[in-house]
Amino acid sequence: MNFFYQFITKDAGRNDIMDQKERLTSDISDYDKAIGIYEEVLDYATKNNNPGDIEFYGHMIDFMRSKKDEAEAELQQLKSA
């Protein structure tokens, strides 16, 4: 399955078979993968001096990092409860 399609749709059925901690751990892993992909593409865009792509991929990296931080905070909160 296409990674980004799965990432965007959150694979609706998987929430039924995973508890919240497993889901958050999986989400954090997905965010790490997405960050890595966007960093590679950003590097390519930088080498080719493409300002639009540089801005877009930079924004997506920041967004994925913020989502990862949110998921990590929520997971930590669940672990301490």
Side-chain angles (χ1 to χ4, degrees):
M1 179 184 298
N2 182 314
F3 170 76
F4 287 105
Y5 177 79
Q6 178 182 359
F7 187 78
I8 291 169
T9 62
K10 291 304 223 183
D11 212 12
R14 79 177 185 180
N15 289 335
D16 296 338
I17 58 173
M18 291 183 164
D19 68 17
Q20 195 169 9
K21 289 180 186 177
E22 290 173 326
R23 182 186 55 81
L24 287 168
T25 302
S26 177
D27 287 351
I28 291 166
S29 175
D30 289 347
Y31 293 132
D32 279 334
K33 290 175 189 174
I35 290 167
I37 291 167
Y38 283 126
E39 286 174 340
E40 288 179 28
V41 179
L42 176 62
D43 185 49
Y44 181 79
T46 303
K47 288 178 184 175
N48 291 304
N49 195 25
N50 188 332
D53 285 350
I54 292 170
E55 182 180 346
F56 174 76
Y57 295 122
H59 167 75
M60 291 307 297
I61 290 168
D62 292 341
F63 176 74
M64 292 296 159
R65 285 183 179 151
S66 70
K67 297 301 283 182
K68 179 184 171 192
D69 291 344
E70 289 174 13
E72 287 174 337
E74 188 176 346
L75 181 60
Q76 186 60 37
Q77 189 176 25
L78 282 174
K79 286 181 178 180
S80 65

